[in-house]
Amino acid sequence: MKLSTHAETSGRYHTNWLNMIYPRLKLARNLLSDDGVIFISIDDNELENLKKICNEIFGEYNYIGNFIWQKQGNDNKSIFSGVKTFRNDHELTIVYAKIKLNLEFERPEEKIEFKNNYGNADNDPRGNWMSAELGKSDARSLSHGKNYFTLTAPNGIQWTRQWYFNKKDMDELIEDNKIYFGKDGSSVPRLKKFITETRKKIPSSLLTNQGSTKIGQSELDGLFNGKRYFDYPKPSMLIKYLIRLLKSESSIILDFFSGSCTTAHATMEINREYNCNRKFIMVQLPEPTDKKSESYKAGHKNICEIGKERIRRAGDKILSESENKEVDIGFKVFKLDSSNLNKWNPDYNNLEKTLIDSSENLVPGRTELDLIYEIMLKYGIDLTFTIEEFDVNNKKIYSIGFGALLICLDNNITKEIATEIIKLKEKLSPETTRVVFKDNGFASDSDKTNIKETLKTHDIDEFITI
């Protein structure tokens, strides 16, 4: 989530920014899952105000920390740039959880070699190892957190303290003979770390090797054949690092200020590299591009067009470089707009025209597919579901979710369609089915009644007209 600042020339410098960001963060919290986390990218201008707002919305106790990303390389160009104090080489990322107790970061794996203080006291067939603390027993640590429990050694001696692992992980370590209780089994339990092994590293708040703005720029320009369509994008490796901190491999990644869609690019790359199924939602206002810019000349009239094209190109590149040709690089594009259904707004000076206009359900310029997606939204159906079309007696029936929702938006619907819908339901075999028609699409009121009653006798009780 990238939050930008505004010109200091504004008379309401901080107020305008606060009015913009407060409702967005309020909504962001409502959208988070109970084990969800939000990363907020910000510079120094509004850092203090951002933390105050987040403490109010998320709660100060749900504050996780602050990543410091080195966005510039060590090229010493500032020696000649006229900088009188020091150059700004970093950007901040504030991290809050929805519910901190539910959050546990994944730890990226790395290979570590222990060069000293190793041996093999228990002749472990996996080779030499050294030991490390498993927990703290001093009074300061006995705060009875979620990892505070009693561990029983094989000889029956019990050890109660605040451990570095939860009970489930501790049991697995003992089962794998990675906990050492001393030669006679009465020593304080310690963790065995083998001389050469892959283990998980605690994430650092300093992000000094996760790419730079220069790398991000080169990455994006490369996708567009060397042309500069967007300035200062973040590198995908930075976003990938943050996403990988989240344990769920099927999480939904939402970016409120998606820009050139680096987050979508990073999510697809992670899915390829780790064979997982994370999804992304990118949100961006259609800010116009400069008419003199390369992007405008290439047909990208706003930032959203650049983002969409990046996802297409990045997806094709990822698929071409992957041995797994089943990597999901698909996406759908939606534009926020008013309802597709005509509202009753009578012109009392010309009621005849109003009645004629109202006979058509759809707003002029909208398509059936627009209305179908609106129906899906209103019923809480995943917009990524496949929409299938069936031609039944010259009438079109749309099936969503393998028959969970059947929609017919044609005119002159007669009772015969009920039989065809029943056949379609039996073919698709959904657990439940709801059927949607246009209210003015029936040939007659009796056809509408007959269709409803026929469907009801075949366990389709949800008959909806719009």
Side-chain angles (χ1 to χ4, degrees):
M1 181 174 179
K2 168 67 174 164
L3 309 184
S4 58
T5 56
H6 52 275
E8 293 187 36
T9 54
S10 170
R12 292 164 57 82
Y13 177 57
H14 293 294
T15 304
N16 288 343
W17 188 86
L18 291 168
N19 288 338
M20 180 277 294
I21 201 58
Y22 185 86
R24 287 166 171 77
L25 289 177
K26 194 84 172 176
L27 175 61
R29 186 190 181 280
N30 293 338
L31 292 174
L32 281 178
S33 60
D34 286 346
D35 61 349
V37 63
I38 184 170
F39 299 96
I40 311 171
S41 180
I42 191 72
D43 59 21
D44 292 327
N45 291 298
E46 298 288 358
L47 176 61
E48 293 83 0
N49 288 324
L50 176 62
K51 282 205 65 177
K52 290 173 184 176
I53 290 176
C54 287
N55 284 342
E56 177 183 332
I57 294 175
F58 296 94
E60 189 173 355
Y61 41 84
N62 285 318
Y63 173 65
I64 303 299
N66 182 8
F67 284 112
I68 302 173
W69 171 50
Q70 184 180 5
K71 64 180 182 179
Q72 303 288 355
N74 298 316
D75 51 19
N76 292 322
K77 288 183 179 180
S78 60
I79 293 176
F80 309 101
S81 65
V83 175
K84 295 182 179 180
T85 53
F86 52 83
R87 68 177 186 177
N88 183 2
D89 279 351
H90 74 278
E91 197 169 276
L92 306 170
T93 299
I94 306 297
V95 187
Y96 279 82
K98 174 75 171 285
I99 303 173
K100 188 174 183 178
L101 289 176
N102 292 339
L103 179 66
E104 185 176 357
F105 275 163
E106 184 65 88
R107 296 180 177 183
E109 292 186 344
E110 68 170 14
K111 195 172 183 180
I112 299 176
E113 293 189 3
F114 302 98
K115 300 184 182 300
N116 300 304
N117 302 321
Y118 59 85
N120 198 345
D122 62 349
N123 296 316
D124 195 304
R126 289 168 290 192
N128 291 352
W129 51 269
M130 63 179 292
S131 68
E133 280 189 344
L134 271 171
K136 294 286 187 182
S137 61
D138 57 274
R140 290 173 300 172
S141 70
L142 300 183
S143 54
H144 294 220
K146 62 179 180 179
N147 292 341
Y148 181 83
F149 56 87
T150 297
L151 180 63
T152 303
N155 64 0
I157 296 179
Q158 293 185 328
W159 306 91
T160 302
R161 59 187 61 201
Q162 190 76 33
W163 305 100
Y164 297 148
F165 298 92
N166 59 39
K167 186 65 167 62
K168 179 177 178 295
D169 290 343
M170 189 73 81
D171 289 342
E172 291 177 357
L173 288 169
I174 293 174
E175 180 70 22
D176 197 27
N177 190 28
K178 286 191 174 181
I179 305 298
Y180 185 61
F181 294 91
K183 289 184 178 181
D184 59 358
S186 61
S187 299
V188 176
R190 292 176 66 84
L191 177 66
K192 293 163 66 174
K193 295 181 178 179
F194 292 90
I195 184 170
T196 302
E197 67 175 350
T198 299
R199 72 180 182 92
K200 294 182 176 181
K201 180 183 177 183
I202 298 174
S204 171
S205 62
L206 297 175
L207 304 179
T208 57
N209 58 349
Q210 300 302 329
S212 63
T213 51
K214 184 177 180 180
I215 290 176
Q217 192 71 68
S218 177
E219 180 179 50
L220 181 60
D221 293 351
L223 287 173
F224 288 97
N225 302 318
K227 294 184 178 180
R228 179 69 53 87
Y229 286 170
F230 191 90
D231 292 327
Y232 309 116
K234 284 184 168 58
S236 62
M237 66 184 301
L238 170 67
I239 308 302
K240 284 166 61 177
Y241 179 83
L242 297 177
I243 293 175
R244 281 190 61 210
L245 293 176
L246 309 176
K247 283 197 169 185
S248 173
E249 294 189 348
S250 59
S251 54
I252 299 176
I253 314 299
L254 171 61
D255 191 337
F256 279 97
F257 299 86
S258 60
S260 67
C261 290
T262 301
T263 302
H265 188 169
T267 304
M268 291 189 295
E269 284 196 341
I270 285 180
N271 286 342
R272 178 194 64 178
E273 293 172 14
Y274 297 94
N275 194 29
C276 51
N277 189 35
R278 291 180 171 92
K279 300 178 177 67
F280 60 80
I281 300 175
M282 302 291 102
V283 181
Q284 177 62 50
L285 291 173
E287 299 176 20
T289 52
D290 190 328
K291 292 184 178 181
K292 297 179 182 179
S293 66
E294 289 288 340
S295 57
Y296 188 90
K297 294 174 184 177
H300 307 308
K301 308 303 182 186
N302 58 58
I303 293 178
C304 300
E305 297 301 319
I306 298 173
K308 288 189 290 184
E309 186 61 23
R310 178 184 188 164
I311 298 174
R312 294 187 189 101
R313 295 187 180 215
D316 289 343
K317 185 173 185 290
I318 287 168
L319 197 60
S320 68
E321 295 174 351
S322 175
E323 294 181 0
N324 178 14
K325 301 305 178 183
E326 301 300 319
V327 176
D328 187 359
I329 59 170
F331 69 103
K332 293 182 179 181
V333 179
F334 299 94
K335 183 173 71 174
L336 186 63
D337 211 325
S338 58
S339 174
N340 297 288
L341 293 170
N342 261 324
K343 293 183 179 179
W344 174 251
N345 187 22
D347 180 358
Y348 294 104
N349 296 320
N350 194 345
L351 286 176
E352 182 179 358
K353 183 177 184 304
T354 298
L355 290 170
I356 293 173
D357 291 343
S358 66
S359 64
E360 178 55 50
N361 290 60
L362 283 176
V363 171
R366 307 293 175 83
T367 66
E368 284 189 351
L369 200 57
D370 292 332
L371 181 55
I372 288 169
Y373 277 115
E374 180 175 349
I375 294 169
M376 291 170 68
L377 275 175
K378 289 181 175 178
Y379 285 100
I381 296 174
D382 194 331
L383 296 181
T384 60
F385 278 8
T386 300
I387 299 174
E388 298 178 282
E389 291 185 22
F390 294 91
D391 191 4
V392 179
N393 293 340
N394 295 321
K395 303 297 181 186
K396 189 181 296 182
I397 297 178
Y398 296 94
S399 169
I400 297 96
F402 303 102
L405 176 64
L406 298 175
I407 302 175
C408 182
L409 302 174
D410 281 333
N411 295 316
N412 199 32
I413 300 297
T414 60
K415 62 183 180 181
E416 284 73 24
I417 201 169
T419 303
E420 301 301 327
I421 288 175
I422 292 166
K423 291 179 182 177
L424 190 58
K425 175 179 179 288
E426 291 173 351
K427 175 184 176 182
L428 299 173
S429 300
E431 292 185 7
T432 59
T433 298
R434 59 165 64 105
V435 182
V436 179
F437 295 95
K438 287 196 307 183
D439 194 45
N440 61 356
F442 300 99
S444 66
D445 288 342
S446 61
D447 282 297
K448 177 180 179 181
T449 302
N450 285 330
I451 292 169
K452 182 177 181 179
E453 292 304 317
T454 302
L455 295 178
K456 189 174 182 180
T457 60
H458 287 78
D459 299 322
I460 303 177
D461 293 321
E462 199 158 353
F463 177 92
I464 304 151
T465 59
I466 57 174

